[in-house]
Amino acid sequence: MTEDSTPPARHSYGAEPTSHAAEPTRRGGSTRVIGIVSIVAGAIFTIAGVVAYIAVQQTLSDQNITVSDDADMFAGKDVAGPFTAYSQAMVIGKHAEGIADGKTYAELPQDDPNRATVMNASFLQASLFTSVVAFGMAAFAAVSGILWMLLGWVLLRLSR
């Protein structure tokens, strides 16, 4: 036999080398899909967080509450955000404590004439604290959404 007619040499394993070119494409496709889903979810979280923040802010503003003059912070400011709401809640608590001689609503006797006032103060204070938590959750959703969008963007860049 001449050199031209000899069959090509095989590897010692007896198999032709195979190409794994399709595997990175598959991984890139999955990464791309996850990236797109992350961006969409992030956009939804961000929009929901901003809308919730604005809704809570507008609802508080509509109540025309002003932080009491004897507040430690933000005295005389309109209650329209988490810091002013917290400040007013603390003042309400201080006023209720003064009216009830340091007792809570639950500690006052049922025949105490100040019981209804302290109860209303407790409800108002709790409502303001709830708005502070709502502001925090709205901000958390918006910031989380931005982080999800950034993660999605990075995944899309990696998939290329």
Side-chain angles (χ1 to χ4, degrees):
M1 264 193 185
T2 65
E3 283 185 31
D4 294 338
S5 63
T6 57
R10 295 187 177 246
H11 289 79
S12 61
Y13 299 109
E16 293 289 325
T18 58
S19 172
H20 295 290
E23 191 174 327
T25 303
R26 187 167 38 93
R27 271 193 252 142
S30 297
T31 305
R32 182 170 169 74
V33 169
I34 293 169
I36 291 168
V37 169
S38 293
I39 290 171
V40 170
I44 291 168
F45 288 158
T46 302
I47 292 167
V50 169
V51 167
Y53 195 97
I54 291 169
V56 174
Q57 187 176 40
Q58 189 61 49
T59 301
L60 273 178
S61 292
D62 290 346
Q63 299 302 310
N64 296 317
I65 304 167
T66 303
V67 179
S68 297
D69 290 333
D70 60 338
D72 294 334
M73 305 174 292
F74 307 107
K77 300 282 185 186
D78 291 337
V79 175
F83 299 111
T84 52
Y86 179 81
S87 184
Q88 182 60 22
M90 296 306 292
V91 169
I92 290 171
K94 184 169 63 173
H95 291 174
E97 187 177 301
I99 292 169
D101 295 324
K103 294 181 181 177
T104 64
Y105 168 75
E107 294 171 329
L108 288 174
Q110 288 192 356
D111 60 348
D112 190 313
N114 295 318
R115 189 170 162 89
T117 302
V118 174
M119 177 183 66
N120 286 336
S122 294
F123 292 158
L124 290 170
Q125 189 179 29
S127 293
L128 287 167
F129 282 141
T130 300
S131 71
V132 172
V133 172
F135 277 118
M137 291 306 299
F140 178 78
V143 170
S144 294
I146 291 168
L147 292 175
W148 276 104
M149 288 190 292
L150 288 172
L151 175 67
W153 178 77
V154 168
L155 289 173
L156 284 179
R157 299 275 301 182
L158 289 174
S159 71
R160 291 182 184 164

